[in-house]
């Protein structure tokens, strides 16, 4: 079983690293790989080959079916009418309601098109009370799945694909939006929505109510950014959802209680033995609890393991723990081979595998607390490489925090929450007291977690590690936590060092690296020299809980191994340029903050007009604008930064418009000539005047714009001006992060991250 599960997983993983769907000519090769197994099933290599081929083919089938439903490109940004059913619990966030919609009809004018399947919609104004399972006819604007593409950043397109969401968009206001039928079907989702609303109503005054809601129905929307930060720093984020750990603990509790109590019912005991009755009850409760979480990967794994273990106990069969884990792994991937795209898949199975291996051969003679403490250390060690790979950070406090939090939450808070939620559905008053008791316990736990996050060193961050360092770390961990009797386990720590110490190569002395990040309709650029870093703008803020600083800029800098910013420039204080400032300042020490209008930022900064030219090695920096005056619009007072390196020149003009461009041309003339120009104001008609373009005459004209943005940037007339002077036009909307290297004696080298990091689910450039 273990060989079959591991080989099947390897095949599914191998498929996910493909840049495009394989040609159909690969199918005969898969059949050939399976043939030896059909001829000789007992031959080990044949099983491995067949398992890998089966995993690859099964993932291919699911991927092809998912990609077969797509929004026609011609309908992007157009008003279309869709009919279908609300597919998920609507999430209310301020003035926005977000929900998934299972579309069955798509109409544009009088033309009908194949429906794209699941679409993710936002409804901003005049939104009614939406219930999961309702049928609606809506006028919407849609676009194909699209997300930011940056090194170290979250792959939103992968997340959408993993959840089979084939378009995103928003509901247009109008009289054509109407409910076609009341809620029907979707019993689990309807229950989750009702329970969530009831918990909100009864615990509204308690600060930890969102945590109770997360534990009851898996809805983590109400958890604030500050709360997530505490959970992240203490390594306890897994606790604030319906995780596999909670499912397992609840199932175990139900099993032992039912086994103990079943014998008191004489008729029941005669009809069914206590172990079998307990197994049925444990599986049923585990299944219901997993359903409340939407059958996430960790809960699927836990449910399969609970089922296998309890059935084995009921049948008085001994089943090795590794067989149980392998069975769960294989069944989860048979249900959905795309589960390997989930971070939770790796963390969940990795944690269980770590416990089975790291605690093997270690009897509990030293007491339960020693054993429990060792479990936390083992899990933290094994998950650290995964956390570094996915997030470039691992929590040092995780073992200590989980030593207290896991038993309290899993064995006390979760049962109180579940029983309270159940009785809440029956409208019993005691339910409120149980839920409030859970919230009260979480409040006391939170005091401890917040203190740990604030007072103690929370974690370390490293750059995105090369693959070979992760392989070395895996060897080191197997050695380090090996079963008792393994010689010189300390040697394993040496194998961990490459993962912690190997960093991306900085530019060589005299070379320059520019990253124009993909932040949507806004701007953020990072300039690296051999030993210094300058960040120009921090991208837009999209909502109270989401900005480009935390989602794009900070992950990029961490992936590059950058730990401090020598200079942070905010060209001007508009939200699309300064929206991520707070997140960047919280994440990194900044030696010097410069802006065009310090009074607009709300934090101390130096006016860029007062900054003298300076050099970092052989690379010169100079602010050309604004002059020492407050005249002109905020856009026209943008900081204009000129960077001169042996390999070329770079011009970052922010959002300056025609007036400032004319002043720059008059004052500097040909000095403005640059190899790389981040085009002013994203390609607006108010900027990039003909004289300015002809003087700068860039080799690369870089447009930092959002995909299908409502402004139509870059405007065609502006793009044509740059083409007329021989510039190469590149856009972040099309290429993702645009990564340039300037080396003396060479033309600027460009890497489009959307191309270099492409996977088959990504939108093509």
């Amino acid at each position: 079983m273990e060989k079959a599960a591991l080989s099947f997983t390897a095949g599914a993983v191998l498929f996910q690293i493909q840049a495009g769907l394989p040609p159909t000519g690969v199918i005969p090769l898969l059949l050939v790989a399976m043939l030896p197994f059909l001829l000789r099933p007992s031959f080990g290599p044949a099983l491995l080959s067949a398992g890998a081929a089966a995993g690859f083919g099964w993932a291919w089938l699911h991927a092809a079916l998912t990609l077969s439903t797509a929004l026609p490109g011609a309908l992007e940004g157009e008003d279309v009418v869709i009919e279908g059913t609300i597919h998920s619990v609507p999430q209310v966030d301020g003035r926005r309601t977000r929900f998934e919609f299972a579309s069955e009809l798509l109409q544009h004018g009088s033309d009908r098109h194949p429906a794209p399947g699941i679409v993710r919609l936002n409804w901003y104004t005049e939104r009614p009370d939406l219930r999961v399972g309702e049928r609606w006819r809506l006028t919407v604007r849609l676009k194909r799945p699209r997300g930011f593409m940056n090194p170290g950043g979250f792959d939103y397109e992968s997340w959408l694909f993993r959840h089979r969401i084939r378009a995103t968009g928003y509901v247009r206001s109008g009289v054509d939006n109407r409910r076609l039928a009341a809620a029907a079907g979707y019993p689990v989702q309807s229950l989750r929505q009702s329970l969530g609303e009831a918990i909100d109503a009864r615990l509204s005054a308690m600060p930890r109510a969102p945590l109770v809601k997360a534990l009851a129905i898996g809805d983590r929307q109400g958890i604030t950014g500050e709360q997530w930060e505490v959970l992240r720093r203490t390594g306890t984020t897994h606790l604030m959802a319906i995780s596999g750990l909670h499912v397992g603990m609840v199932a175990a509790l139900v099993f032992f209680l039912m086994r103990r109590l079943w014998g008191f019912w004489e008729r029941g005991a005669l009809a069914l033995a206590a172990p079998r009755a307990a197994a049925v009850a444990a599986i049923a409760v585990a299944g219901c609890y997993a359903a409340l979480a939407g059958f996430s990967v960790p809960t699927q794994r836990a449910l399969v393991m609970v089922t296998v273990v309890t059935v084995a106990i009921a049948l008085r069969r001994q089943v090795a723990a590794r067989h149980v884990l392998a069975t769960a792994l294989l069944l989860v991937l048979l249900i959905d081979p795309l589960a390997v795209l989930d971070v939770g898949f790796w963390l969940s199975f990795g944690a269980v595998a770590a416990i089975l291996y790291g605690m093997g051969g270690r009897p509990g003679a030293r007491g339960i607390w020693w054993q429990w403490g060792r479990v936390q250390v083992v899990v933290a060690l094994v998950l650290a490489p995964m956390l570094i790979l996915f997030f470039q950070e691992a929590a040092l406090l995780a073992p200590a925090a989980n030593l207290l939090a896991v038993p309290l939450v899993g064995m006390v808070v979760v049962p109180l929450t579940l029983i309270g939620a159940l009785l809440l559905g029956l409208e019993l008053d005691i339910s409120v007291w149980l839920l409030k008791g859970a919230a009260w316990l979480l409040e006391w736990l939170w005091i401890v977690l917040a203190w740990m996050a604030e007072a103690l060193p929370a974690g370390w961050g490293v750059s995105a590690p090369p693959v070979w360092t992760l392989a070395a770390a895996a060897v080191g961990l197997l050695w380090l936590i090996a079963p008792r009797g393994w010689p010189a386990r300390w040697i394993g720590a040496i194998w961990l060092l490459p993962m912690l110490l190997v960093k991306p190569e900085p530019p060589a002395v005299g070379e320059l690296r520019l990253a124009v990040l993909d932040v949507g309709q806004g701007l953020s650029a990072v300039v690296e020299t051999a030993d210094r870093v300058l960040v120009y703008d921090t991208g837009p803020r999209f909502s109270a809980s989401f900005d480009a600083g935390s989602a794009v800029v900070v992950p990029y800098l961490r992936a590059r191994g950058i730990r401090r910013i020598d200079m942070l420039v905010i060209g001007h204080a508009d939200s699309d340029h300064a929206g991520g400032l707070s997140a960047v300042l919280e994440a990194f020490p900044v030696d010097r903050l410069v802006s065009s209008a310090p009074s607009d930022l709300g934090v101390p900064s130096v006016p860029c007009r007062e900054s003298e030219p300076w050099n970092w090695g052989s690379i010169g920096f100079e602010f050309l604008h604004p002059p020492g005056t407050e005249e002109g619009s905020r856009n026209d007072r943008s900081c204009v930064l000129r960077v001169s390196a042996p390999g070329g020149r770079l011009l970052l003009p922010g959002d300056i418009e025609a007036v400032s461009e004319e002043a720059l041309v008059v004052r500097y003339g040909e000095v403005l000539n640059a190899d790389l120009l981040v085009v002013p104001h994203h390609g607006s008609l108010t900027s990039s005047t003909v004289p300015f373009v002809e003087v700068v005459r860039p080799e690369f004209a870089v447009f930092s714009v959002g995909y299908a943005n409502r402004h139509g940037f870059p405007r065609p007339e502006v793009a044509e001006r740059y083409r007329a002077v021989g510039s190469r036009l590149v856009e972040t909307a099309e290429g993702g992060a645009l990564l340039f290297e300037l080396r003396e004696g060479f033309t600027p080298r460009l890497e489009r991250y959307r191309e270099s990091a492409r996977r088959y689910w990504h939108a093509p450039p």
Side-chain angles (χ1 to χ4, degrees):
M1 176 60 73
E2 293 92 332
K3 292 180 180 179
L6 291 176
S7 60
F8 192 89
T9 303
V13 171
L14 179 62
F15 180 80
Q16 304 310 327
I17 64 175
Q18 304 302 309
L21 290 179
T24 54
V26 175
I27 295 177
L29 298 179
L30 297 179
L31 297 177
V32 169
M34 295 182 182
L35 185 59
F37 175 74
L38 298 176
L39 298 176
R40 190 180 173 187
S42 60
F43 185 51
L47 173 61
L48 296 177
S49 174
F56 189 96
W58 190 236
W60 188 355
L61 176 62
H62 277 251
L65 290 174
T66 301
L67 294 174
S68 65
T69 58
L71 177 72
L75 298 184
E76 284 192 298
E78 298 289 327
D79 283 356
V80 297
V81 174
I82 58 174
E83 288 184 9
T85 306
I86 296 178
H87 184 68
S88 68
V89 176
Q91 305 290 326
V92 179
D93 180 13
R95 65 184 187 92
R96 177 186 69 181
T97 298
R98 172 176 286 172
F99 58 97
E100 293 172 16
F101 192 78
S103 61
E104 301 164 5
L105 176 146
L106 176 65
Q107 185 172 338
H108 181 238
S110 58
D111 299 328
R112 290 197 173 190
H113 301 267
I118 305 297
V119 299
R120 197 179 201 210
L121 297 174
N122 291 318
W123 197 330
Y124 289 99
T125 58
E126 303 174 4
R127 60 184 189 273
D129 178 33
L130 301 175
R131 314 298 301 178
V132 65
E134 291 179 337
R135 287 186 54 79
W136 279 81
R137 180 182 177 88
L138 300 170
T139 299
V140 299
R141 283 191 179 175
L142 301 175
K143 64 179 181 180
R144 294 178 174 184
R146 197 79 176 199
F148 303 144
M149 283 290 290
N150 299 281
F154 176 66
D155 189 346
Y156 183 53
E157 289 176 46
S158 172
W159 186 91
L160 292 173
F161 173 75
R162 164 74 183 89
H163 291 84
R164 274 71 172 184
I165 297 172
R166 304 304 301 136
T168 61
Y170 62 95
V171 179
R172 299 276 285 168
S173 299
V175 295
D176 293 335
N177 300 323
R178 63 180 184 273
R179 185 183 288 109
L180 300 178
Y186 294 88
V188 174
Q189 294 284 48
S190 296
L191 176 61
R192 293 180 70 229
Q193 184 172 10
S194 298
L195 286 177
E197 292 170 344
I199 291 172
D200 286 339
R202 289 163 174 79
L203 302 185
S204 59
M206 304 192 73
R208 306 305 159 208
L211 305 182
V212 174
K213 186 177 177 180
L215 292 171
I217 62 171
D219 181 358
R220 301 185 289 179
Q221 181 200 13
I223 301 177
T224 66
E226 291 79 9
Q227 291 172 334
W228 277 123
E229 182 65 14
V230 170
L231 294 171
R232 183 187 66 81
R233 288 171 62 85
T234 55
T236 53
T237 54
H238 64 97
L239 292 178
M240 296 310 150
I242 303 177
S243 68
L245 176 66
H246 298 336
V247 172
M249 282 187 165
V250 169
L253 182 63
V254 170
F255 180 87
F256 289 114
L257 285 176
M258 180 62 74
R259 187 171 183 174
R260 177 72 61 126
L261 298 175
W262 186 255
F264 291 104
W265 185 25
E266 184 177 347
R267 182 175 297 180
L270 292 174
L272 187 65
R276 297 185 179 183
V280 171
I283 294 171
V285 171
C288 293
Y289 198 22
L292 286 178
F295 288 110
S296 63
V297 171
T299 58
Q300 289 179 27
R301 185 264 305 159
L303 181 58
V304 171
M305 294 184 71
V306 164
T307 302
V308 173
V309 170
T310 52
V311 169
I313 292 175
L315 298 177
R316 297 181 179 179
R317 301 283 180 87
Q318 287 189 347
V319 181
R322 65 179 187 276
H323 294 328
V324 176
L325 183 61
T327 301
L329 177 63
L330 188 58
L331 288 179
V332 165
L333 292 182
L334 285 173
I335 295 170
D336 182 10
L338 303 185
V340 297
L341 296 175
D342 271 345
V343 174
F345 172 88
W346 298 101
L347 298 181
S348 175
F349 280 99
V352 177
I355 294 172
L356 296 181
Y357 177 76
M359 300 304 292
R362 297 179 185 276
R366 297 196 190 185
I368 187 171
W369 283 108
W370 185 92
Q371 293 287 325
W372 181 243
R374 179 174 173 82
V375 165
Q376 300 308 318
V377 172
V378 166
V379 170
L381 281 173
V382 171
L383 295 190
M386 298 184 194
L387 294 171
I388 290 172
L389 173 64
F390 295 126
F391 308 113
Q392 288 80 61
E393 191 174 40
L396 293 173
L397 296 177
N402 282 289
L403 188 66
L404 168 67
V406 168
L408 177 62
V409 173
M411 302 184 69
V412 182
V413 175
V414 168
L416 286 177
T417 300
L418 274 182
I419 298 172
L422 174 64
L423 298 179
L424 195 63
L426 300 176
E427 298 185 356
L428 297 178
D429 292 340
I430 192 176
S431 63
V432 178
W433 292 105
L434 292 173
L435 292 172
K436 287 185 175 180
W440 180 81
L441 288 173
L442 286 173
E443 182 66 37
W444 280 100
L445 174 63
W446 200 261
I447 293 173
V448 177
L449 294 180
W451 174 80
M452 294 177 72
E454 185 68 27
L456 302 177
W460 83 88
V462 298
S463 57
V467 174
W468 71 267
T469 67
L470 295 175
V475 173
L477 288 171
L478 289 174
W479 199 311
L480 193 63
I481 65 171
R484 199 170 191 175
W486 191 269
R489 287 197 301 270
W490 59 268
I491 293 177
I494 299 175
W495 288 76
L496 300 178
L497 295 179
M499 178 188 68
L500 303 176
L501 300 179
V502 173
K503 297 181 179 180
E505 285 291 330
V509 175
E511 294 181 2
L512 189 72
R513 179 183 176 93
L514 168 69
V516 182
L517 301 179
D518 181 12
V519 295
Q521 191 57 40
L523 175 64
S524 181
V526 179
V527 180
E528 288 183 67
T529 70
D531 56 357
R532 302 291 181 91
V533 175
L534 180 147
V535 176
Y536 187 101
D537 285 345
T538 57
R541 172 174 289 276
F542 301 98
S543 69
S545 58
F546 182 61
D547 62 78
S550 57
V552 176
V553 183
V554 170
Y556 172 78
L557 295 175
R558 285 178 175 162
R560 286 290 300 161
I562 294 168
R563 294 294 166 254
R564 70 182 306 108
I565 299 171
D566 296 278
M567 179 175 288
L568 174 56
V569 180
I570 301 298
H572 68 298
D574 282 0
S575 176
D576 58 333
H577 292 252
L581 176 61
S582 296
V584 174
L585 291 177
E586 289 176 6
F588 296 97
V590 175
D591 291 343
R592 187 176 178 87
L593 177 59
V594 179
S595 68
S596 60
S599 59
D600 294 336
L601 285 187
V603 294
S605 64
V606 176
C608 52
R609 65 176 179 271
E610 295 179 3
S611 179
E612 295 292 331
W614 73 99
N615 292 296
W616 288 345
S618 59
I619 299 175
F621 295 79
E622 181 180 7
F623 285 111
L624 307 181
H625 187 81
T629 175
E630 295 294 333
E631 296 178 0
S633 66
R634 178 181 285 182
N635 282 352
D636 263 324
R637 297 200 307 272
S638 295
C639 298
V640 177
L641 177 64
R642 181 173 181 266
V643 185
S644 302
R649 288 170 291 185
L650 162 66
L651 192 63
L652 290 160
D655 274 0
I656 60 170
E657 298 180 338
V659 173
S660 295
E661 289 182 354
E662 181 181 2
L664 286 168
V665 170
V666 170
R667 183 174 181 182
Y668 293 102
E670 295 296 329
V671 174
L672 294 175
N673 179 254
D675 298 277
L676 306 179
L677 169 69
V678 178
V679 173
H681 205 187
H682 319 288
S684 164
L685 281 175
T686 62
S687 305
S688 296
T689 57
V690 172
F692 179 81
V693 173
E694 290 181 343
V695 167
V696 179
R697 199 175 291 272
E699 181 174 347
F700 286 93
V702 182
F703 294 91
S704 181
V705 291
Y707 176 73
N709 64 86
R710 61 188 178 90
H711 305 288
F713 295 161
R715 298 301 295 269
E717 304 95 315
V718 172
E720 188 56 39
R721 293 172 194 167
Y722 287 100
R723 290 193 186 96
V725 298
S727 300
R728 292 176 57 186
L729 278 58
V730 288
E731 301 179 20
T732 55
E734 292 298 321
L738 303 173
L739 311 173
F740 294 91
E741 291 183 0
L742 277 66
R743 300 171 57 193
E744 187 174 8
F746 295 88
T747 58
R749 177 180 176 271
L750 167 63
E751 175 190 347
R752 296 176 176 88
Y753 190 70
R754 182 170 286 278
E755 294 179 2
S756 62
R758 176 169 169 73
R759 295 292 181 264
Y760 67 86
W761 59 79
H762 287 138

